[in-house]
């Protein structure tokens, strides 16, 4: 059964020098990470819609659950989630460029390094703002 | 010719048009178009919720009530709910096809997936439309 997102397999590249077109290439790992981050976000969304639905139960019930979002440990998980979604979004744009831009396949690898660069540049200040409060609660401010 | 797309003559000017449906093509296109919209919707949502104005520490019932008093954010959340759920669900369908080895496993995993998608879409939509800021 053909699926839309499988990486090309070695079979088609039998005549190529290395024997494979894609396996072992950083492009393969970028696809693995895209898959994992997509699944992770999907599962988060499931829980997230359930917790948001508590606004229909009572303000107290909703506020009680949202309080857990503000604890240091969960704040760390949120940074992880934001990092995962950001990677998935940036790599998704790269996938689209590879598919639709005539030079996309040629530049797939430099585009991967660039997206990792953008990811770092966004995540460093992002993590700082997201963890500021948790850090003062844990290590100072008493 | 069966439903499977064979690539024996990928560069021949014309391939036999015997595929019974274009569903996989539309699904492929949908992943890209919805992805493009989700860049703005989800990254915007994450920025507003986690970075702006104290981030997650300012979120409570009153905050949500304030946001959903505006049709703009109601519509934003509704669109994000549907696109993210269909995009992610369609992605999971592909993943199940890739890894499930037995037809029965595949069948039951997909039933679970589709059931969870219906629950989340209905519940999320209802919550947005029936939200009551004066609830006790
Ligand atoms: C830690 C990160 C997140 C926080 C703190 C957060 C917070 C919130 C809050 C407070 C609401 C209530 C409605 C509003 O004020 O607009 C909401 C709704 C929503 N969020 Fe998030 N969110 C996060 C991540 C995400 C992600 C990653 C997604 C998408 C995959 C997402 C999708 C949604 C959707 C679809 C709704 C509407 C729910 C409904 O229809 O009942 N959120 N979020
Ligand atoms: C933020 C913007 C997003 C962009 C630009 C984006 C882009 C994409 C693209 C282009 C694909 C197809 C990959 C391929 O065919 O090889 C894809 C797959 C996928 N996406 Fe997204 N996406 C986004 C958000 C989301 C969200 C919010 C979820 C979860 C609810 C999600 C879950 C998935 C899953 C599970 C797959 C399937 C992965 C696979 O088959 O390997 N994505 N995404």
């Amino acid at each position: 059964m053909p699926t839309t997102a499988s990486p090309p397999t070695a079979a088609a590249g039998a005549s190529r020098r290395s024997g494979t077109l894609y396996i072992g290439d950083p492009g393969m790992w970028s696809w693995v990470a895209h898959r994992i981050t997509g699944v992770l976000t999907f599962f988060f969304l499931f829980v997230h819609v359930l917790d948001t639905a508590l606004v229909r139960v009572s303000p107290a019930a909703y506020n009680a659950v949202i309080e857990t979002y503000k604890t240091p440990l969960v704040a760390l998980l949120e940074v992880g989630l934001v990092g995962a979604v950001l990677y998935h979004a940036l790599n998704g744009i790269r996938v689209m460029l590879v598919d639709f831009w005539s030079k996309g396949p040629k530049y797939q690898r430099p585009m991967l390094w660039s997206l990792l660069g953008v990811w770092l540049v966004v995540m460093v200040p992002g993590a700082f703002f997201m963890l500021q409060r948790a850090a003062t609660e844990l290590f100072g401010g008493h | 010719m069966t439903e499977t797309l064979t690539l024996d003559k990928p560069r021949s000017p014309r391939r036999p048009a015997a595929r019974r449906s274009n569903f996989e093509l539309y699904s492929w296109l949908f992943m890209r178009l919805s992805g493009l919209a989700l860049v703005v919707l989800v990254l915007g949502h994450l920025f507003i919720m986690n970075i702006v104005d104290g981030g997650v520490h300012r979120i409570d019932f009153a905050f949500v009530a304030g946001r959903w008093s505006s049709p703009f954010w109601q519509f934003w959340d509704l669109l994000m709910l549907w696109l993210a759920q269909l995009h992610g669900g369609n992605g999971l369908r592909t993943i199940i096809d890739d890894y499930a080895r037995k037809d029965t496993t595949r069948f039951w995993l997909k039933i679970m997936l589709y059931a969870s998608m219906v629950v989340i879409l209905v519940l999320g939509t209802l919550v947005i439309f029936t939200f009551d800021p004066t609830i006790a």
Side-chain angles (χ1 to χ4, degrees), chain A residues 4-5 31 34-35 38-39 41-42 45 85 88-89 92-93 95-96, chain B residues 28 31-32 35-36 38-39 42 84 87-88 91-92 94-95:
Chain A
T4 50
W31 169 83
H34 192 81
R35 192 158 257 202
V39 173
T41 311
F42 185 80
L45 185 60
V85 175
H88 188 94
I93 296 171
V95 168
M96 292 182 235
Chain B
W28 181 90
M31 288 310 272
R32 278 135 189 88
L36 220 50
L38 285 167
V39 171
V42 175
H87 174 106
L92 247 84
T94 306
I95 294 176

Side-chain angles (χ1 to χ4, degrees), chain B residues 12-131:
Chain B
S12 62
R14 211 172 283 144
R15 264 178 287 143
R19 270 170 289 169
R20 246 174 280 131
S21 93
N22 285 326
F23 178 76
E24 288 301 341
L25 172 66
Y26 293 132
S27 130
W28 181 90
L29 201 64
F30 172 76
M31 288 310 272
R32 278 135 189 88
L33 293 178
S34 57
L36 220 50
L38 285 167
V39 171
V40 177
L41 293 171
V42 175
L43 293 188
H45 184 73
L46 284 175
F47 184 71
I48 292 167
M49 292 304 170
N50 294 292
I51 309 285
V52 176
D53 194 19
V56 80
H57 295 279
R58 79 200 192 290
I59 299 179
D60 61 7
F61 183 85
F63 172 81
V64 178
R67 279 174 53 84
W68 279 350
S69 65
S70 145
F72 177 83
W73 294 115
Q74 282 185 311
F75 181 69
W76 179 298
D77 284 350
L78 188 69
L79 196 64
M80 178 167 64
L81 171 74
W82 279 80
L83 288 181
Q85 194 60 34
L86 292 176
H87 174 106
N90 193 224
L92 247 84
R93 181 183 64 86
T94 306
I95 294 176
I96 293 172
D97 276 339
D98 278 356
Y99 298 125
R101 298 199 171 186
K102 285 193 292 188
D103 281 345
T104 43
T105 326
R106 191 182 305 252
F107 175 80
W108 287 111
L109 283 176
K110 283 196 189 172
I111 294 287
M112 277 163 58
L113 172 66
Y114 298 150
S116 80
M117 286 170 68
V118 170
V119 168
I120 292 302
L121 285 173
V122 170
L123 180 67
T125 305
L126 269 172
V127 166
I128 294 175
F129 280 117
T130 66
F131 180 72

Side-chain angles (χ1 to χ4, degrees), chain A residues 33 37 76 78-92 111-127, chain B residues 43 46:
Chain A
T37 52
L76 206 60
E78 282 151 22
V79 175
L81 175 75
V82 170
V85 175
L86 182 63
Y87 171 81
H88 188 94
L90 292 171
N91 190 243
M111 284 197 291
L112 178 56
W113 306 136
S114 321
L115 88 82
L116 293 178
V118 172
W119 187 89
L120 257 181
V121 166
V122 176
M123 280 314 284
V124 170
Chain B
L43 293 188
L46 284 175

